[in-house]
Amino acid sequence: MNIKQAKEEIKHAIAAYLAKDEYGQYCIPMTRQRPLLLMGAPGIGKTAVMEQVARECGVGLVAYSITHHTRQSAIGLPFISQKQYGGKTYAVTEYTMSEIIAAVYDKMEETGLREGILFLDEINCVSETLAPAMLQFLQAKTFGSHKVPEGWVIVAAGNPPEYNKSVREFDVVTLDRVKKIDVEPDFAVWKEYAWKQGIHGAVLSYLEIKKNHFYAMETTVDGKRFATARGWEDLSNILQVYEALGIPAEEGLVYQYLQHRKIAKDFANYLDLYEKYRTDYRIADILAGQYSKNTVEKLQEAPFDERLSVMGLMLSRLTQDFMAADAADLRTVRLHGFLKEIKERFDSPYCVQTPWETLWDSVLEEQQAGYERERKANLLDKQQGQAYVAALQRLEAYGAGARKEGLREKETVFAWVKTQFAEVVAEREHTIAHAAQALDHAFAFLEETFGTGQEMVIFLTELTANYYSVKFISENGSEPYYRYNKELLFEEKQKSILEDIEQAKTELDLLF
């Protein structure tokens, strides 16, 4: 199965393992909760998907690459204790707590989450001295003499032997005690993840043209040559930072991440073309509705690969606008929640004599502590975390501003804060309007250039696969998107999005 299917399978297993009966006991006793074993080629996203699963299930996550551990760190160090048997005292060897088990308890204390996932990567690549402990771990859920705490689901991952010389085959006894899930690379599934992560547009456009270069693993006389999903994502990150710093990306840099000389060279050449298309077609002007007739005619006469690249540039720029709108929305909603809590305290009969500064600071401290708990528990993705921090900064600035204004009465303070918050709401509306206008201009340009041909179908398909575009359209609408969907027989998808819009409108009306 692909990584998306594996993710759903893991989530279902966690839901089943953590389900409790009317007496508060786990429906499936821990002794019957088979560890999940993900087997797949390296770099296809096994570790990343565990972070997503933990976040979406609202549970803790402790992740280790087991190849970094020795027998001592995994099962603990021996020490001598005294015990009595039959009235006599004997020296007995015991073990300190495993570093891995201790990390689970530390995570529970740090985050307050009593349930979670213990994820061990490369479990079939352990050293010879540690192999027996790993088999005991999978079969009995213990390291040394210490058990994995109840409520913690074990997930392990490994690589097939063709990818790693250090792999140790599991025997039938062990395999009969795990839920084995085989995972295969799948570009279409990874692309959904890539849009949400903001992967560089050049990577997505290139792989759309050269799908067979998404995952490659070859053995040659000179050793392994490979390109993996992890390599593409890490290359995307460095490309984005290089662009921000004005540093050119050369073939040597690409090869450091894609250790397949042919693919690295091909992508480096494409990257040059991608930058050329960005300049030649003036994507920012297209999305501002300021393109020329020459631009339309030039793209009409361009080869299909060039057309795909230009559409990729447009989608990448639109995604930035959609992400900005989403960030503004997240900040506004989070800040609204903070201010609502402050208003309730200002109005509370128990806080009549309490100065507004004290109430304000207490809410700020509580929310800052809440952010730290959620961050440590990995319950916030990057976009959510940034919005949380931005809202906290605004809240702190409002408090400082009210003090600077010399405001004393709670009613006066909150009236002043409402005017400040109105500016945030206006910023949010402006950001949304900008993204909506850019999307309209993109449709207008594509219609003038290609009509309702295959390019429009591709553009709609990519919008539908993009997490941020779907979220933006479902919350804010897009007349040309619905119109072209209907013309191109996407009516069923349209009905679903319309339902989402109505729900989103209801929620926003209640909020604002």
Side-chain angles (χ1 to χ4, degrees):
M1 63 178 64
N2 59 50
I3 196 70
K4 184 177 181 179
Q5 294 168 328
K7 176 182 174 180
E8 290 304 307
E9 188 67 27
I10 296 167
K11 289 174 68 174
H12 292 159
I14 290 172
Y17 287 173
L18 300 184
K20 296 180 180 179
D21 60 24
E22 63 269 29
Y23 304 105
Q25 302 298 314
Y26 289 106
C27 296
I28 302 177
M30 191 168 181
T31 54
R32 293 294 181 186
Q33 294 180 8
R34 289 191 172 199
L36 283 75
L37 177 61
L38 301 180
M39 294 296 292
I44 62 174
K46 297 188 292 291
T47 303
V49 85
M50 293 315 306
E51 295 175 354
Q52 297 171 39
V53 167
R55 187 180 304 122
E56 292 171 19
C57 292
V59 298
L61 174 66
V62 172
Y64 274 101
S65 177
I66 200 63
T67 52
H68 298 163
H69 280 272
T70 64
R71 185 173 184 274
Q72 288 74 21
S73 64
I75 69 173
L77 294 170
F79 67 93
I80 304 299
S81 67
Q82 302 294 320
K83 289 192 176 181
Q84 288 193 344
Y85 299 106
K88 293 185 177 180
T89 301
Y90 297 89
V92 178
T93 301
E94 293 190 25
Y95 286 85
T96 58
M97 181 175 285
S98 157
E99 179 184 322
I100 296 172
I101 300 295
V104 173
Y105 283 107
D106 287 341
K107 179 65 73 172
M108 293 166 68
E109 290 296 320
E110 187 177 51
T111 65
L113 297 172
R114 313 311 295 176
E115 297 175 329
I117 300 168
L118 175 55
F119 176 63
L120 298 183
D121 199 6
E122 299 180 329
I123 196 164
N124 58 344
C125 300
V126 296
S127 63
E128 185 175 350
T129 58
L130 193 52
M134 287 301 99
L135 296 179
Q136 179 196 30
F137 167 70
L138 290 175
Q139 294 176 16
K141 302 180 180 64
T142 62
F143 275 119
S145 57
H146 300 280
K147 275 187 171 292
V148 175
E150 193 175 41
W152 281 73
V153 177
I154 297 170
V155 182
N159 300 324
E162 61 266 29
Y163 297 109
N164 196 320
K165 295 179 181 179
S166 303
V167 162
R168 295 176 175 276
E169 295 284 356
F170 289 125
D171 56 33
V172 174
V173 175
T174 301
L175 290 175
D176 194 36
R177 287 171 168 80
V178 300
K179 278 170 59 73
K180 185 170 178 283
I181 301 173
D182 292 313
V183 187
E184 299 291 336
D186 186 317
F187 171 65
V189 168
W190 181 80
K191 187 168 66 173
E192 293 181 28
Y193 163 82
W195 278 122
K196 187 171 183 180
Q197 296 300 313
I199 296 298
H200 195 286
V203 171
L204 289 170
S205 297
Y206 174 80
L207 292 177
E208 191 62 44
I209 300 167
K210 304 282 183 72
K211 293 183 177 66
N212 60 319
H213 288 178
F214 167 60
Y215 196 95
M217 190 73 65
E218 300 173 6
T219 302
T220 69
V221 292
D222 297 321
K224 291 282 188 183
R225 299 194 307 178
F226 57 90
T228 68
R230 181 191 296 123
W232 285 112
E233 183 170 3
D234 290 346
L235 174 60
S236 165
N237 290 337
I238 197 70
L239 288 176
Q240 289 166 339
V241 175
Y242 268 41
E243 283 184 5
L245 297 175
I247 302 174
E250 306 292 346
E251 181 184 333
L253 173 73
V254 176
Y255 184 66
Q256 293 165 17
Y257 293 87
L258 307 176
Q259 297 182 45
H260 189 295
R261 184 63 70 182
K262 180 181 177 182
I263 294 176
K265 183 178 183 62
D266 195 44
F267 177 72
N269 291 336
Y270 177 80
L271 195 59
D272 291 338
L273 279 176
Y274 188 83
E275 293 305 317
K276 181 178 182 297
Y277 297 152
R278 191 201 303 269
T279 303
D280 289 355
Y281 287 97
R282 302 174 66 89
I283 301 302
D285 288 349
I286 291 175
L287 297 183
Q290 298 171 357
Y291 55 88
S292 67
K293 188 67 175 178
N294 288 338
T295 301
V296 171
E297 293 173 350
K298 181 178 180 180
L299 191 57
Q300 287 173 335
E301 297 170 1
F304 188 66
D305 285 1
E306 186 169 330
R307 298 181 186 184
L308 282 180
S309 298
V310 172
M311 285 193 292
L313 281 161
M314 292 170 61
L315 285 161
S316 179
R317 182 61 181 265
L318 283 169
T319 299
Q320 293 176 21
D321 291 339
F322 297 147
M323 291 179 70
D326 182 60
D329 191 58
L330 289 172
R331 287 195 303 270
T332 305
V333 172
R334 181 73 70 174
L335 185 56
H336 181 269
F338 294 167
L339 297 179
K340 184 179 177 181
E341 175 65 25
I342 286 175
K343 185 69 166 63
E344 289 175 356
R345 298 201 188 181
F346 279 9
D347 294 341
S348 172
Y350 303 104
C351 301
V352 173
Q353 301 301 321
T354 308
W356 74 264
E357 294 93 340
T358 302
L359 297 175
W360 193 283
D361 291 344
S362 66
V363 171
L364 178 61
E365 290 172 7
E366 289 169 12
Q367 296 300 336
Q368 287 172 334
Y371 165 73
E372 286 299 322
R373 284 194 302 272
E374 292 192 42
R375 182 186 65 80
K376 291 176 181 177
N378 194 42
L379 297 178
L380 301 167
D381 62 24
K382 182 179 179 181
Q383 191 90 333
Q384 292 168 336
Q386 291 176 344
Y388 207 144
V389 171
L392 285 170
Q393 290 173 344
R394 291 264 187 168
L395 187 65
E396 187 172 14
Y398 287 171
R403 286 181 172 92
K404 187 176 181 180
E405 292 288 329
L407 305 178
R408 295 286 178 234
E409 300 299 324
K410 295 184 179 72
E411 293 80 4
T412 308
V413 169
F414 203 78
W416 179 82
V417 168
K418 282 182 66 176
T419 63
Q420 304 300 308
F421 181 66
E423 294 178 7
V424 174
V425 175
E427 289 173 11
R428 168 183 172 275
E429 295 302 324
H430 173 76
T431 306
I432 291 172
H434 174 79
Q437 188 177 57
L439 182 58
D440 288 347
H441 289 152
F443 274 114
F445 174 76
L446 290 175
E447 181 179 22
E448 183 176 346
T449 307
F450 304 116
T452 56
Q454 61 179 338
E455 291 83 2
M456 185 66 82
V457 174
I458 292 170
F459 185 70
L460 284 168
T461 302
E462 291 301 302
L463 283 176
T464 305
N466 185 330
Y467 170 84
Y468 287 106
S469 61
V470 169
K471 186 176 182 183
F472 179 85
I473 293 169
S474 69
E475 292 176 350
N476 303 287
S478 172
E479 186 277 330
Y481 177 85
Y482 299 139
R483 174 160 47 87
Y484 289 117
N485 258 334
K486 186 175 182 179
E487 291 177 14
L488 299 172
L489 305 179
F490 285 106
E491 289 180 297
E492 290 304 312
K493 182 66 179 177
Q494 181 184 5
K495 289 177 183 177
S496 172
I497 291 179
L498 284 170
E499 291 173 0
D500 291 340
I501 288 174
E502 291 304 317
Q503 182 179 354
K505 282 182 177 177
T506 302
E507 293 173 354
L508 287 171
D509 287 341
L510 290 174
L511 183 61
F512 298 105

